[in-house]
Amino acid sequence: EDKVVQSPLSLVVHEGDTVTLNCSYEVTNFRSLLWYKQEKKAPTFLFMLTSSGIEKKSGRLSSILDKKELFSILNITATQTGDSAVYLCAVVGATNKLIFGTGTLLAVQP
Amino acid sequence: GAVVSQHPSRVICKSGTSVKIECRSLDFQATTMFWYRQFPKQSLMLMATSNEGSKATYEQGVEKDKFLINHASLTLSTLTVTSAHPEDSSFYICSALAGGFVYTQYFGPGTRLTVL
């Protein structure tokens, strides 16, 4: 059965800190891994990763995939209170559907 | 970017009633839309795949007679929760497929359903 596990489940940091969120997966015929940010409503797309070792970057956020070890990390540097959200990881495999992890709840305190 | 709307954003109903949720793609046509459900502190779980002009495909464990899906046009899919019960209370999110790949999904803002 396809599975996505995220850690930690929740995290509290102070503004300016750097955080690393983890996502490990087991999926048949892996196609891609996606990161989303969810702020009380629907998820908004952050990154899509398909190849190992190639870092995707957008501002203070970056992500990388390791297809050998079956995991991805999402880094956020110089965190701000506006980064507070649930970060979701999802994978696409043979079923061609998004399989989501349970998410990491990030709280950034001033 | 592509915009997907949902209506209503929040609904409270009595047990036994039916509730209809609409999902619209506002600036693109979507032959495929997805319906997800999210319980508190849990992740999104795919309920069904809605295809324009054909029957929806339901995930294992989702009752098709309870969650009626109609995808009547290229911009509208509806989810009707029939005879709702308190355990159906959840956050329902739709997404619309803008391209040929599953990752080109744009999510709606969600509908919070509370069944009393």
Side-chain angles (χ1 to χ4, degrees), chain B:
Chain B
V3 178
V4 176
S5 70
Q6 273 184 248
H7 178 80
S9 58
R10 182 183 292 269
V11 58
I12 300 172
C13 68
K14 291 183 179 179
S15 186
T17 60
S18 293
V19 175
K20 181 187 282 190
I21 303 170
E22 292 185 349
C23 177
R24 294 183 185 270
S25 56
L26 298 185
D27 51 1
F28 66 101
Q29 293 182 333
T31 55
T32 302
M33 292 184 176
F34 300 93
W35 287 96
Y36 294 85
R37 181 168 51 182
Q38 187 176 33
F39 291 108
K41 298 188 179 181
Q42 295 186 26
S43 190
L44 280 78
M45 295 295 293
L46 180 65
M47 297 176 66
T49 302
S50 170
N51 297 296
E52 188 267 338
S54 64
K55 290 183 179 180
T57 304
Y58 291 82
E59 295 301 300
Q60 194 172 9
V62 178
E63 299 175 55
K64 62 180 181 180
D65 295 329
K66 181 169 182 62
F67 299 99
L68 301 179
I69 291 173
N70 184 13
H71 195 152
S73 77
L74 289 172
T75 58
L76 173 65
S77 175
T78 60
L79 169 69
T80 301
V81 183
T82 62
S83 187
H85 291 283
E87 56 265 30
D88 298 323
S89 299
S90 188
F91 192 53
Y92 291 86
I93 302 177
C94 74
S95 70
L97 202 60
F101 301 98
V102 69
Y103 47 80
T104 58
Q105 290 182 44
Y106 292 89
F107 288 87
T111 297
R112 175 77 58 193
L113 170 63
T114 302
V115 184
L116 302 176

